Amino acid sequence: MPELPEVEALAAYLRERAVGHTVQRFEVSSFSALKTYDPAPSALTGLPITSAGRHGKFLDIGIGPDVHLVVHLARAGWLHYRDAFKSPAPLKPGSGPIAIRLRLDDGSGFDLTEAGTQKSLAAYLVRDPLTEVPGVSRLGPDALAVSRDEFAALLKSRNGQVKGVLTDQEVLAGIGNAYSDEILHVARMSPFALTGKLTDEQLTTLYEAMREVETDAVQRSVGQKAAELKGEKRAGMRVHARTGLPCPVCGDTVREVSFADKSLQYCATCQTGGKPLADRRLSKLVR
């Protein structure tokens, strides 16, 4: 799933490539992906792209004086920028993985795609993202905008496993499964540690790890083309999606805990005192 660094990089790429151009046509192939009906897609024709930013993991593209295309790419969604499209013909309903296509006046544009059968990509055409997009309206403060004291207060407000609290978008916006694994590895902390039991020193360490991981990922991602971002993300990972490989810090084998619909990766030597975590959600090992 694209997280804060990748969405920030996509926004930066769109600011460089698309802002200033006008919409030639907004096409919808997957009607389930577009969650709104007012304004209609046809109303965008001739309007300029005015901005590109984000709210946590939501991409926000400003169009004309008061319209926003807000996109949550979910687990398998992506934005593919095209310098030119092969055909001028409009998309047909159910055009493979393409959910939405936006064509610009210079012949370029982008496709919003989603792989697999589980369709969760969501796009909204709204005038006020903060009130009209449910996921945006519930977001907590941005992970890169909070101070150390604000971060500590937010984590203490939820007494849960630290991995789950870090990825709760109502607590902090922008951190997902991948970068939470990386943050906890840098902080040398068990993903099952309870936030209510963290000391002030541990909270400071965790905050600094969050800043380091997210800032480094943004710096590596911004400036990359959309097509290169996934590879850049994978190349920068220490433990996430590296099950069975050596930890780059201590050399121990990276381990995994699997859940019904996702998994986490960690280093036992660096994070849990050498003790493997039970491969179930309610592990009793909390350190």
Side-chain angles (χ1 to χ4, degrees):
M1 176 184 291
E3 298 180 30
L4 183 159
E6 294 78 50
V7 178
E8 181 64 36
L10 288 174
Y13 187 76
L14 290 174
R15 289 193 294 270
E16 177 183 333
R17 185 66 182 82
V19 167
H21 292 283
T22 59
V23 177
Q24 183 187 70
R25 197 159 66 224
F26 186 97
E27 304 169 16
V28 181
S29 171
S30 173
F31 293 101
S32 63
L34 186 61
K35 307 300 184 182
T36 56
Y37 58 88
D38 181 26
S42 59
L44 304 185
T45 301
L47 295 180
I49 305 293
T50 57
S51 65
R54 65 173 181 84
H55 309 278
K57 294 186 284 186
F58 287 80
L59 181 65
D60 182 347
I61 302 167
I63 304 174
D66 63 354
V67 178
H68 295 258
L69 170 61
V70 180
V71 181
H72 191 281
L73 293 165
R75 177 170 295 182
W78 197 243
L79 183 150
H80 297 271
Y81 204 92
R82 317 292 188 190
D83 290 326
F85 293 98
K86 293 181 178 179
S87 171
L91 286 177
K92 296 180 180 179
S95 297
I98 303 174
I100 290 172
R101 172 170 289 171
L102 190 148
R103 298 176 188 261
L104 298 175
D105 58 354
D106 66 345
S108 72
F110 59 83
D111 290 332
L112 296 173
T113 67
E114 187 170 24
T117 57
Q118 185 177 354
K119 301 302 182 182
S120 302
L121 183 147
Y124 307 80
L125 285 174
V126 297
R127 292 180 176 84
D128 184 358
L130 297 180
T131 61
E132 296 182 66
V133 180
V136 172
S137 66
R138 294 193 297 265
L139 289 177
D142 193 82
L144 284 180
V146 295
S147 68
R148 183 271 174 203
D149 289 345
E150 291 169 331
F151 175 82
L154 288 166
L155 263 65
K156 287 182 177 179
S157 71
R158 304 286 180 96
N159 186 25
Q161 294 175 348
V162 65
K163 165 86 172 178
V165 175
L166 281 176
T167 56
D168 185 338
Q169 299 303 294
E170 295 185 24
V171 177
L172 284 170
I175 301 173
N177 190 43
Y179 287 107
S180 60
D181 283 350
E182 299 298 291
I183 291 166
L184 291 165
H185 181 254
V186 171
R188 304 181 71 87
M189 186 176 296
S190 168
F192 293 159
L194 295 178
T195 55
K197 294 184 177 180
L198 297 180
T199 65
D200 285 345
E201 182 179 356
Q202 287 175 313
L203 286 166
T204 297
T205 298
L206 186 60
Y207 174 73
E208 292 174 349
M210 179 193 73
R211 295 284 305 181
E212 176 186 333
V213 168
E214 295 289 348
T215 301
D216 177 68
V218 169
Q219 290 174 345
R220 286 188 291 103
S221 299
V222 170
Q224 302 281 344
K225 294 181 179 179
E228 300 169 351
L229 282 171
K230 290 184 179 181
E232 182 63 35
K233 179 179 181 178
R234 287 192 296 268
M237 292 294 166
R238 303 167 183 238
V239 292
H240 182 75
R242 290 176 53 85
T243 303
L245 297 175
C247 168
V249 174
C250 71
D252 191 7
T253 301
V254 174
R255 301 171 187 267
E256 178 174 304
V257 177
S258 298
F259 304 118
D261 59 348
K262 61 182 178 180
S263 62
L264 65 84
Q265 287 79 41
Y266 70 100
C267 171
T269 296
C270 291
Q271 296 175 251
T272 61
K275 299 177 182 179
L277 294 170
D279 195 3
R280 56 192 175 94
R281 188 180 298 272
L282 299 179
S283 173
K284 298 299 183 181
L285 175 57
V286 177
R287 293 289 185 267

